[in-house]
Amino acid sequence: MSVLHFSRFHYREDEIRPKFGQIRMGPDVPLLDYHKRDFLLRRFAQTALGGPRLRLGQSAPPYVYVNQVILFLTPWALGGAGTLLYQLDVLQDYYAAALSGALMLAAATVVQATALGVRRRRASVQRVQMHNNLTDEDVWEFSSCAGSETVKFLIPGKKYVANVVGHSVLAGVLCALGTWYLLPNRLTSLYGGNVAASATVFVFGWLTVCIGEYALVINTPPETAAFQVLDRYEITALMRSFYILVFVAVDLAERFMADVPDLKLANQILHVVFLALPLLWALGVLPPLDAFFLWGMEQMLEIGLGGSPMSSDIRLLGMVFISAGTAVASYFIPSSVGAVIFMAGFGFALSLNPSKIGSTLKHVTTSCLAAKKFEDVPAYCRTQFRWREIIFYLAVFALALVEAGLLHHELGSQAFSKTSLQAVMSYVIMVLLLTTWVLREIQTVYIFGIFRNPFYPKDVTVTSGVAEKQKGLSRIGALRRILTTGVSPFAMIAFLSLDSSLHQVPSVSISVGFTRSFRMVWQNTECALLDVALVSAVQLLTTNTDLWWNRSLDTGTRLLLVGFIRNRLFQFVSKLQFVVTVLWTSWTEKKQRRTSSATLITLNVVFFPVLLTLVVLSALLASSVLPLFSLPIFLIGFPRPIRSWPGPVGETAYVCHDTVYYQQMVPRMVSALQAAFSSGSLGLCVAGSHYLCRFQDRLLWILVLERGFTYCCVNIKGLELEETSCHSAEVRRVDEMFEAAFEGEERPRRLSLNHHFGNVLTPRTVLPVKLYSDARNVLSGIIDLPENRWQMKDDFVEVLLWMLVHHCYKKLERAELLDETPKQESPQLTPPEVLNKTRERTSIHSSRSDSLSMESVDHWTDNGHLFDLEPARRTSEAQRILPILFSSLPGSVEIEDELAGESATGKFYKSILPASPTLGAGKRQESKLPRGPPPVVFSSHSSELLAVPRQWRTAPCLEAELKEMRQIFPEDWFHFVLRQLSFSYLKEDRFSLHGDSMNDPALREVYTQAVLPCWIGVFGADPILPSPGQIFRTYNGDIPWSTCTHWLAGKQELFRLALKAFR
């Protein structure tokens, strides 16, 4: 069992990513080397202009640059022809736009046909393309103005014929709409006759159109905002054209929808923003198309439909369609009771895990043996619901439907007042919100991340005491789980069902708002509690019906608006904290401080309104705040989904030597996380929350991808930390924060502050998890101290005694021996038989151990004992070597056997018998080993049940040795261990059984005969201090040879218990 320290990130993954790498920065280190600076300038110019490479890493003929300029200005020239004909009143505006579009379509077709013809042309001699590694660019050789090399350089061409046709047609449409969008007369009327503003918009607007056309037809530039690693289907070329068409669509809407002042104002503003599109593209503020649509669906599902971000694109797409269909269907239900029941039922069903629902339905319909399969699959990888889960969900589903239908039918028509039942439910919801919040904060180490929680245990680093110290917190977590899962949803369903606005004429706002609200109750109960409490509080305080809040908005729309404000407000606070942290650390951290830090901080303070506006825009767009080069120069990152990366989870995972530890760690980690999330010990858990888990030298990065009713989808990343100065500094800072939170000394009963407040990490709690350990511990100053070694030698007897008693007790308890006596023991084995059995078992164990591959991941399971995994190979080697020794030892006395057929094993056994002192003149008296333990008569039935096996009392020790060693047997400790037994499987009185066992000298004798030989076999009979090397070798299973060790090796189970007690 190990303890894992958990802390929470307050920011998105892309916001904190630049944080790693700041440690390398210093006042004299340049941000970019000279060759990187030149490369950046070339790439940035190419990205800003849409693809033209006007600056190369080599010398090129002038016609290369002239050709690029001509291709770049071609759309402007073709659009200018149509504009001129319109200004001369030769053509109408739409005819002029159509002419420009047709000319651009013809030009794009010619360009693509030329590129396709050059690519398909087969020359007799093909020049090998060279690559310059210093400039990271290809080296081109130009022969003529229209040569094949020049054409390939200017127009790389498309991969697919469909893109050749599609992009050419889109280029014509874009040029036609751009001409219509930028007609001078239209711009003059839009800005009230301001010729200067119209001319500025016309010139720079066509520059934007030319950039979009060049990226679409000629050469796609490297985009700063990249979401996919590879652009397989050439979607990147469509990005700039798409945003141009969005601006044109607003202008077209304003043209055909006259007399809409708000739309005209928006069109005027967007014409100005249209000029800044090249800068936004270059800075990476606008997202790629795939990220944009995924982000849009995610925001619509979370904000508009009450769902949660999904863990995959397929789940997101399917959930958006199902949720939108539910809202549309509720609009067409004529009965208000039917609509309420429909929305309540689908709100609960859609909040469950969709993959488990599908797997369960498929499994039930295709198999009749579902119950057995449910039991065989482990909990962490089960893909279907168990039967008890199905029964629980069906019961909750039925209760929700009955409650919603009855309350709405009987009391739903009552208007809201301070004495109505809906107002009473408002007070109940406020109390539930306050109670769950208090119960959640009590379980974390810091309240609000600032003050230390006085109820949190003072020291939870000792593994054995974590469960006991957190017992009170576990009860608080169980209470909170009941309130959150079983009480709060039904209270909010009652509040929504009693709303009188559901009896109004069905409208889009009512259908969408209440469909979202009924789902939020189950999908995100804690946030729904906050939203409902805020709406009800405002409704109780503002009883005036003439207010816009009460007159124009129904309860569902209010909850939607409050939910959006709450979501964006939380993001604004976290992003503002991140910005302040970067500003503060850029000066306080020595390795982050540069010569320009003071100037940059001053500029941020002077232009704080601009910085605050940037943070507000970032929060409204749900995008990240990006510090450029980890400096206090902030940009807005492009909006993207919560997952922050494309593709399935784990697709880009890197397999290394640390993978085996993380793989075996995940199943038990999932169980621990499930309990922590449900109890609230990890704080408010929503989709997008980041957690960092620390265990020895391992780090786990946990991202919550999806959250619903009683389930949570997470992505667990094992971080590989190489031994570099950068990584060591980062880990040291994390360890300092955890030590200050969890490993501090006893503190007084008053609130203390979090000295690391403001950091991106906030310590939360400690979770006990059974894991493998590969920590490299240094025992210098521990095993080399004599007093520690004496203490360990004395403690070995007590630990082994504890393990033997509990081993015998659990063995009987598992067998459910209530009134039966122990089975007849096997007859005593003669010494040759003992050695033959030992060799037999050892050979089998050796063959099994040799087949175990430490490089195989499949053998790392949690089925064995915790302390037997690390030195398993050395233990097997020691057991294999012990019985197979020399046939004659130096200093031993050879005794010839009188029997002719005696085996060599029997001779070896006799050759190691110790000789007794001689008596008389030249006579020697042999001291024979005891042939077997004397019969033992127990005085009670409980003592007979707790007796050790008879084979464990056949140690080849002299009676004189055992008599001298009896004084180290801890009789008081033995009585204490017996008193800890519950004897739950016996019907007799527990206290009388304790008394009978402790007063039975025979029970003490049998444990003495089993414990003392093990103590002699491990440490020897001589009263000497074991050396540190001997302790280390014994820990690894390499025990020095002796007669007791040889006997102990033949008792595999006893040998394992003794080695486990030593460890």
Side-chain angles (χ1 to χ4, degrees):
M1 187 74 67
S2 305
V3 291
L4 285 81
H5 298 166
F6 271 84
S7 61
R8 179 175 180 175
F9 285 94
H10 294 282
Y11 314 105
R12 293 172 63 102
E13 182 178 359
D14 44 357
E15 290 173 357
I16 60 175
R17 188 180 298 141
K19 190 74 176 177
F20 301 100
Q22 292 180 354
I23 200 69
R24 296 180 181 273
M25 198 173 290
D28 300 327
V29 178
L31 290 175
L32 295 172
D33 297 336
Y34 65 94
H35 60 279
K36 291 183 179 179
R37 188 184 303 112
D38 184 65
F39 175 79
L40 176 63
L41 293 177
R42 292 198 306 271
R43 281 298 177 91
F44 185 79
Q46 184 181 1
T47 301
L49 295 177
R53 288 174 280 187
L54 301 180
R55 183 175 179 179
L56 301 178
Q58 65 181 78
S59 59
Y63 57 79
V64 174
Y65 304 104
V66 173
N67 289 340
Q68 293 185 81
V69 172
I70 293 175
L71 292 174
F72 181 80
L73 297 177
T74 297
W76 197 347
L78 300 179
T83 302
L84 181 61
L85 294 177
Y86 169 74
Q87 292 295 121
L88 297 176
D89 294 331
V90 176
L91 295 175
Q92 297 292 331
D93 53 355
Y94 44 87
Y95 286 122
L99 176 62
S100 300
L103 294 176
M104 187 63 207
L105 174 60
T109 303
V110 172
V111 169
Q112 293 297 327
T114 303
L116 186 61
V118 171
R119 187 171 55 184
R120 291 183 176 181
R121 186 185 305 163
R122 301 300 181 184
S124 58
V125 179
Q126 294 183 356
R127 182 176 289 104
V128 178
Q129 192 70 32
M130 294 180 292
H131 184 81
N132 190 348
N133 293 325
L134 296 179
T135 60
D136 195 24
E137 289 185 351
D138 294 330
V139 178
W140 297 86
E141 295 183 2
F142 304 101
S143 58
S144 63
C145 179
S148 59
E149 294 84 2
T150 306
V151 175
K152 288 180 181 179
F153 174 78
L154 297 176
I155 313 169
K158 307 294 181 181
K159 296 180 182 178
Y160 308 103
V161 178
N163 288 338
V164 172
V165 177
H167 292 183
S168 299
V169 173
L170 182 59
V173 174
L174 183 64
C175 185
L177 294 177
T179 303
W180 205 5
Y181 185 73
L182 297 172
L183 290 175
N185 291 344
R186 169 65 179 169
L187 296 177
T188 304
S189 62
L190 183 64
Y191 288 100
N194 192 336
V195 180
S198 302
T200 304
V201 172
F202 178 79
V203 174
F204 289 99
W206 268 110
L207 180 63
T208 302
V209 174
C210 290
I211 290 175
E213 292 279 8
Y214 197 97
L216 179 64
V217 178
I218 308 300
N219 186 17
T220 304
E223 296 290 351
T224 308
F227 188 66
Q228 295 282 352
V229 179
L230 298 176
D231 186 19
R232 299 178 180 178
Y233 304 105
E234 299 175 324
I235 302 177
T236 307
L238 305 174
M239 186 187 76
R240 306 196 178 199
S241 302
F242 170 78
Y243 287 108
I244 293 176
L245 293 178
V246 169
F247 282 78
V248 174
V250 177
D251 181 73
L252 293 178
E254 196 270 333
R255 282 174 183 265
F256 295 105
M257 296 175 62
D259 300 331
V260 182
D262 295 337
L263 189 58
K264 183 176 181 180
L265 177 62
N267 192 17
Q268 292 174 347
I269 297 174
L270 289 180
H271 269 80
V272 178
V273 178
F274 187 79
L275 310 182
L277 280 180
L279 181 61
L280 299 179
W281 288 327
L283 296 179
V285 177
L286 299 178
L289 295 184
D290 48 358
F292 175 78
F293 286 110
L294 292 176
W295 169 80
M297 289 191 295
E298 189 176 271
Q299 294 299 311
M300 182 178 67
L301 178 62
E302 183 180 6
I303 303 299
L305 300 174
S308 168
M310 295 286 113
S311 58
S312 64
D313 298 339
I314 300 298
R315 289 165 67 108
L316 177 62
L317 185 62
M319 189 58 69
V320 166
F321 278 105
I322 295 175
S323 302
T326 302
V328 172
S330 64
Y331 176 78
F332 293 100
I333 298 178
S335 173
S336 61
V337 177
V340 169
I341 295 176
F342 178 82
M343 290 186 289
F346 268 89
F348 174 77
L350 294 177
S351 65
L352 299 178
N353 192 346
S355 61
K356 276 195 173 183
I357 293 177
S359 300
T360 303
L361 294 177
K362 180 180 179 181
H363 186 79
V364 171
T365 55
T366 58
S367 176
C368 298
L369 302 176
K372 182 178 179 181
K373 293 187 178 181
F374 287 159
E375 296 174 356
D376 293 341
V377 181
Y380 59 86
C381 61
R382 187 181 292 113
T383 57
Q384 302 106 5
F385 288 125
R386 293 174 293 183
W387 288 116
R388 61 181 182 182
E389 294 177 339
I390 295 176
I391 295 174
F392 169 74
Y393 290 136
L394 290 177
V396 174
F397 179 73
L399 288 176
L401 294 184
V402 171
E403 180 191 13
L406 290 179
L407 289 178
H408 181 72
H409 182 266
E410 299 295 336
L411 303 172
S413 59
Q414 296 181 1
F416 182 85
S417 63
K418 293 186 178 181
T419 58
S420 62
L421 182 58
Q422 190 177 16
V424 173
M425 297 308 303
S426 301
Y427 291 115
V428 173
I429 290 172
M430 293 178 190
V431 173
L432 286 174
L433 174 64
L434 182 62
T435 305
T436 54
W437 176 82
V438 171
L439 294 179
R440 185 185 68 209
E441 291 297 324
I442 287 177
Q443 299 179 73
T444 58
V445 65
Y446 289 118
I447 300 176
F448 297 118
I450 304 175
F451 306 102
R452 179 173 176 82
N453 184 6
F455 301 100
Y456 198 83
K458 299 303 178 183
D459 189 5
V460 289
T461 57
V462 181
T463 306
S464 59
V466 172
E468 186 67 24
K469 293 180 179 180
Q470 292 185 340
K471 184 179 295 184
L473 298 181
S474 301
R475 295 172 181 173
I476 293 175
L479 176 60
R480 181 188 175 277
R481 182 178 183 180
I482 294 173
L483 294 178
T484 305
T485 306
V487 179
S488 299
F490 291 100
M492 288 185 286
I493 286 179
F495 175 84
L496 295 174
S497 302
L498 293 171
D499 195 80
S500 60
S501 59
L502 288 169
H503 287 276
Q504 299 177 4
V505 179
S507 62
V508 176
S509 62
I510 292 178
S511 299
V512 174
F514 278 96
T515 302
R516 173 192 178 275
S517 302
F518 275 106
R519 183 176 180 179
M520 275 285 291
V521 165
W522 305 101
Q523 189 85 49
N524 197 345
T525 306
E526 298 178 58
C527 294
L529 268 177
L530 179 59
D531 296 345
V532 175
L534 290 176
V535 169
S536 58
V538 173
Q539 197 168 2
L540 288 171
L541 295 176
T542 58
T543 57
N544 187 6
T545 57
D546 294 333
L547 293 177
W548 169 79
W549 177 266
N550 295 329
R551 184 184 67 255
S552 303
L553 300 179
D554 57 87
T555 303
T557 308
R558 296 170 195 163
L559 289 172
L560 192 151
L561 184 61
V562 170
F564 176 78
I565 295 174
R566 182 254 312 156
N567 182 279
R568 295 308 191 251
L569 182 61
F570 284 177
Q571 291 197 33
F572 171 76
V573 172
S574 64
K575 295 176 191 302
L576 185 62
Q577 182 183 356
F578 173 74
V579 169
V580 174
T581 301
V582 173
L583 287 172
W584 180 263
T585 55
S586 62
W587 180 259
T588 56
E589 292 291 335
K590 181 179 179 181
K591 293 188 177 181
Q592 290 183 228
R593 189 186 306 160
R594 300 181 59 83
T595 55
S596 59
S597 296
T599 304
L600 294 176
I601 294 173
T602 304
L603 291 175
N604 279 278
V605 173
V606 172
F607 295 99
F608 183 76
V610 178
L611 179 62
L612 190 63
T613 304
L614 185 143
V615 176
V616 170
L617 290 176
S618 177
L620 290 176
L621 295 174
S623 60
S624 58
V625 177
L626 179 66
L628 187 63
F629 294 111
S630 300
L631 295 173
I633 304 175
F634 299 100
L635 301 176
I636 300 178
F638 66 89
R640 69 197 75 185
I642 291 293
R643 289 182 288 116
S644 301
W645 69 88
V649 175
E651 184 181 27
T652 59
Y654 173 68
V655 179
C656 60
H657 295 290
D658 295 339
T659 305
V660 61
Y661 297 102
Y662 292 116
Q663 285 182 346
Q664 62 83 26
M665 187 185 298
V666 168
R668 297 185 183 275
M669 274 293 305
V670 169
S671 301
L673 286 174
Q674 183 179 6
F677 285 145
S678 61
S679 63
S681 59
L682 293 180
L684 180 61
C685 175
V686 295
S689 300
H690 292 261
Y691 296 93
L692 187 70
C693 174
R694 177 70 167 156
F695 168 64
Q696 292 181 353
D697 58 345
R698 304 291 170 191
L699 276 175
L700 289 178
W701 188 305
I702 301 173
L703 170 61
V704 180
L705 300 175
E706 182 180 342
R707 184 70 192 271
F709 182 66
T710 68
Y711 85 95
C712 185
C713 295
V714 298
N715 178 32
I716 302 177
K717 297 181 181 180
L719 302 184
E720 180 188 10
L721 295 180
E722 300 178 358
E723 297 181 357
T724 60
S725 60
C726 178
H727 290 161
S728 299
E730 293 168 357
V731 173
R732 184 170 63 252
R733 177 58 62 88
V734 173
D735 290 338
E736 288 176 359
M737 296 177 60
F738 282 134
E739 290 174 2
F742 304 112
E743 302 180 13
E745 299 179 355
E746 292 291 333
R747 299 176 178 86
R749 292 286 183 178
R750 61 182 180 85
L751 294 177
S752 58
L753 295 177
N754 178 14
H755 299 290
H756 297 277
F757 173 73
N759 198 290
V760 294
L761 288 175
T762 300
R764 284 294 179 183
T765 188
V766 171
L767 297 182
V769 183
K770 186 178 180 180
L771 305 172
Y772 292 127
S773 173
D774 67 330
R776 294 175 289 274
N777 298 322
V778 179
L779 299 180
S780 300
I782 300 177
I783 64 173
D784 54 352
L785 293 180
E787 54 269 20
N788 291 341
R789 283 179 280 161
W790 280 119
Q791 184 65 37
M792 184 189 65
K793 191 175 181 181
D794 296 338
D795 293 341
F796 174 76
V797 178
E798 297 183 356
V799 176
L800 181 59
L801 188 59
W802 174 282
M803 298 187 67
L804 286 179
V805 173
H806 282 77
H807 174 77
C808 298
Y809 174 77
K810 292 179 180 179
K811 189 174 182 181
L812 293 173
E813 191 177 21
R814 286 193 301 266
E816 297 182 357
L817 297 177
L818 298 178
D819 298 322
E820 300 177 5
T821 58
K823 295 181 180 180
Q824 185 68 26
E825 297 180 359
S826 58
Q828 181 184 0
L829 300 177
T830 58
E833 293 173 342
V834 172
L835 289 178
N836 290 334
K837 292 286 185 180
T838 304
R839 286 180 175 178
E840 217 172 341
R841 295 176 184 177
T842 311
S843 62
I844 295 174
H845 183 76
S846 301
S847 63
R848 290 178 179 178
S849 62
D850 291 339
S851 64
L852 177 62
S853 175
M854 300 299 290
E855 300 296 330
S856 176
V857 178
D858 299 334
H859 290 81
W860 287 75
T861 61
D862 298 322
N863 298 328
H865 294 274
L866 177 63
F867 298 99
D868 293 340
L869 294 171
E870 177 72 19
R873 180 170 294 183
R874 296 193 177 184
T875 304
S876 62
E877 293 176 357
Q879 295 175 358
R880 184 166 61 250
I881 294 173
L882 280 175
I884 308 173
L885 294 174
F886 308 102
S887 61
S888 177
L889 297 178
S892 62
V893 180
E894 290 288 347
I895 302 178
E896 298 294 336
D897 199 332
E898 296 179 359
L899 300 177
E902 189 173 8
S903 63
T905 306
K907 294 180 181 181
F908 166 72
Y909 189 83
K910 291 183 177 181
S911 66
I912 60 176
L913 298 180
S916 62
T918 57
L919 299 175
K923 293 182 180 181
R924 181 175 58 85
Q925 180 181 0
E926 296 182 359
S927 296
K928 296 184 178 180
L929 294 173
R931 295 185 178 275
V936 178
V937 180
F938 298 99
S939 61
S940 65
H941 179 64
S942 60
S943 300
E944 192 174 359
L945 294 176
L946 290 176
V948 298
R950 186 179 181 184
Q951 292 85 353
W952 292 5
R953 297 185 282 118
T954 60
C957 297
L958 296 176
E959 295 182 1
E961 286 183 345
L962 291 178
K963 187 175 182 180
E964 293 178 359
M965 303 297 296
R966 288 180 189 275
Q967 59 183 354
I968 68 172
F969 186 85
E971 187 172 356
D972 295 338
W973 174 259
F974 180 62
H975 292 167
F976 171 77
V977 175
L978 292 177
R979 284 195 298 268
Q980 306 304 312
L981 304 179
S982 61
F983 292 104
S984 59
Y985 55 89
L986 296 179
K987 298 181 180 180
E988 303 178 23
D989 184 25
R990 180 167 62 95
F991 297 101
S992 61
L993 294 175
H994 287 165
D996 296 341
S997 301
M998 290 186 293
N999 296 329
D1000 191 353
L1003 184 63
R1004 178 184 180 277
E1005 180 64 23
V1006 295
Y1007 275 95
T1008 303
Q1009 296 176 5
V1011 171
L1012 294 183
C1014 296
W1015 189 87
I1016 296 173
V1018 173
F1019 293 104
D1022 298 330
I1024 59 176
L1025 187 65
S1027 63
Q1030 179 184 351
I1031 294 176
F1032 177 74
R1033 289 190 298 271
T1034 305
Y1035 181 86
N1036 292 326
D1038 187 10
I1039 304 176
W1041 189 92
S1042 65
T1043 56
C1044 289
T1045 307
H1046 181 73
W1047 168 83
L1048 188 60
K1051 310 295 182 294
Q1052 296 292 331
E1053 194 171 9
L1054 182 60
F1055 182 84
R1056 182 184 60 81
L1057 291 174
L1059 191 60
K1060 187 175 181 180
F1062 182 86
R1063 292 170 177 169

